[in-house]
């Protein structure tokens, strides 16, 4: 496991079935990078959550909105030093 045996991965995939126009390899690289970096700062027993949700995004023209998918990655690790 990328996280190690004593860390939890939670998936909250709230928009399954949505059609996306993305570069799947770029999304995979970004998510892997976030997960690996988070794993380095997480204590045993910590949690990493990957969440997706569908939102309405305002068009730049101001004329209505378009559906968009938000991908959120969060953990309860110690974070980066300032």
């Amino acid at each position: 496991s990328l996280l190690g045996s004593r860390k939890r991965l939670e998936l909250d995939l709230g928009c399954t079935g949505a059609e996306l126009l993305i570069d799947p390899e770029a999304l995979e690289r970004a998510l892997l990078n976030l997960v690996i970096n988070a794993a380095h700062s997480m204590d045993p027993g910590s949690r990493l959550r990957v969440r997706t949700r569908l939102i309405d995004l305002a068009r730049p023209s101001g004329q209505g909105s378009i559906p968009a998918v938000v991908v959120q990655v969060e953990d309860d690790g110690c974070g980066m030093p300032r």
Side-chain angles (χ1 to χ4, degrees):
S1 163
L2 288 173
L3 292 178
S5 61
R6 297 185 60 206
K7 298 168 187 165
R8 294 187 327 253
L9 174 64
E10 295 178 4
L11 300 175
D12 181 4
L13 306 177
C15 59
T16 57
E19 292 186 34
L20 305 175
L21 299 174
I22 61 166
D23 177 343
E25 289 83 19
L27 178 60
E28 180 180 23
R29 281 191 306 273
L31 286 172
L32 280 173
N33 188 29
L34 288 168
V35 168
I36 290 167
N37 287 339
H40 289 300
S41 67
M42 293 170 64
D43 295 324
S46 295
R47 168 188 55 83
L48 176 77
R49 177 183 292 141
V50 178
R51 176 183 297 152
T52 61
R53 59 191 168 96
L54 193 59
I55 64 166
D56 288 323
L57 187 64
R59 292 181 183 269
S61 65
Q63 302 296 317
S65 63
I66 56 174
V69 174
V70 173
V71 179
Q72 181 180 11
V73 179
E74 65 181 6
D75 66 77
D76 54 11
C78 63
M80 296 175 56
R82 293 181 186 240

